[in-house]
Amino acid sequence: MLVAVCSDKGSPGATTTALTLASAWSGQAVMVEADPGGGDLAIRLRTSDGAALPEAPTVLTVAAAARNNRAPDLALRHAHRLTDDVAVILGHLAPEQSAGVSEWESCGSALAASQDPVFVDVGRLNAGSVVLPVAAMADLVVVVARPDPESVIRLRERLRRLAPVLANYGGRPPRLLPVLVCPGRHGAADVQDLRRILADSPARPFVVGSTFVAFDAGAVARLEAGEDPGGRLARTQLLRTARAVAIQLTGLVEVTPDHGTGSKDPAGTSGGVR
């Protein structure tokens, strides 16, 4: 399963959302930092013993290797181990490092062929993004936004513009899942408001649902510090809501033969996003 995670101007980080979803997965998962503007996980992340991750290999290493290798373990082979179940492929530190890279399509194919679920941060995705091929190959494209009016309107516009671009590039209808990052106590109401706003959007046929992840800065800090997401951290609102989204993602992939089937539901049940 390949899930692309993106955002728009002023929205919360796609990077943190992708890392959280990978951490909430039951079983091994790979998080990939493929924002063409450069990544910062090499600076932010620490293992459980406080060590920083090596700056290489990066997603550019995977892109280069994917030209001649689409093995199911390619992504994991170039990933750094953050916890027992979460592996991370770091992004390049400077935007200039990705200039001239032409292997994004083969990189997307390699990530899609991974034997483990892959959550890839593609940054602020638009028609001119060099990582558009990666998003076009994804089973699902998660678009992250805040619940405030400005962010939601930008989300609606981003969905409208992304849908035909991804369809044309990927040769199949995209599956878009807007995810709000908001206080947990407001999540359900914020999602209901979002559904009303998207009801008459031209992108509506491509939107497979909507959901939320609870904002929890303290839990994010603990996650980035290498704390085991299956321990006490699992009881935080951040991980509880992210785990519910992970279950929903699996259900969506399972019921769509054209986008891959046979994934194991992380909670042993099938789910869907409404």
Side-chain angles (χ1 to χ4, degrees):
M1 181 178 75
L2 176 60
V3 177
V5 184
C6 67
S7 62
D8 200 359
K9 179 180 179 182
S11 294
T15 307
T16 299
T17 302
L19 178 63
T20 302
L21 291 175
S23 300
W25 194 262
S26 178
Q28 188 160 263
V30 182
M31 185 270 170
V32 182
E33 193 178 25
D35 186 339
D40 57 5
L41 286 184
I43 303 169
R44 289 163 50 187
L45 293 185
R46 293 292 183 272
T47 60
S48 58
D49 59 2
L53 299 179
E55 293 185 5
T58 70
V59 66
L60 300 184
T61 311
V62 177
R67 284 180 292 185
N68 303 309
N69 188 347
R70 309 285 173 83
D73 65 342
L74 179 65
L76 197 58
R77 196 185 310 161
H78 291 87
H80 304 284
R81 181 63 58 183
L82 184 64
T83 68
D84 288 344
D85 286 330
V86 182
V88 177
I89 298 176
L90 299 172
H92 48 286
L93 290 176
E96 290 82 0
Q97 291 178 270
S98 64
V101 174
S102 59
E103 294 89 1
W104 290 115
E105 185 167 349
S106 51
C107 181
S109 296
L111 295 178
S114 173
Q115 60 193 7
D116 300 300
V118 175
F119 298 85
V120 54
D121 159 32
V122 293
R124 293 179 181 177
L125 190 65
N126 56 62
S129 174
V130 295
V131 294
L132 185 67
V134 178
M137 293 179 190
D139 297 293
L140 293 162
V141 178
V142 169
V143 189
V144 183
R146 299 184 190 278
D148 59 82
E150 295 84 357
S151 185
V152 169
I153 295 303
R154 283 188 176 277
L155 170 64
R156 184 181 65 183
E157 181 66 11
R158 179 55 42 211
L159 294 172
R160 182 181 74 82
R161 292 180 178 274
L162 278 180
V165 171
L166 291 171
N168 289 338
Y169 199 103
R172 64 183 183 182
R175 295 171 61 77
L176 307 173
L177 178 66
V179 173
L180 297 178
V181 176
C182 54
R185 64 185 182 279
H186 298 151
D190 288 335
V191 169
Q192 288 293 340
D193 290 341
L194 175 62
R195 290 172 184 161
R196 286 192 289 270
I197 291 172
L198 295 181
D200 59 352
S201 168
R204 184 65 188 87
F206 307 101
V207 176
V208 296
S210 52
T211 187
F212 76 97
V213 172
F215 176 74
D216 186 338
V220 170
R222 291 165 60 187
L223 192 63
E224 293 179 348
E227 184 174 337
D228 178 11
R232 295 179 63 183
L233 190 56
R235 299 199 290 268
T236 63
Q237 277 198 317
L238 176 73
L239 266 295
R240 291 205 314 268
T241 53
R243 192 160 52 246
V245 175
I247 293 171
Q248 293 170 334
L249 294 176
T250 306
L252 287 169
V253 173
E254 284 181 337
V255 299
T256 311
D258 289 343
H259 286 71
T261 58
S263 298
K264 180 182 177 182
D265 192 316
T269 59
S270 293
V273 181
R274 291 182 291 175

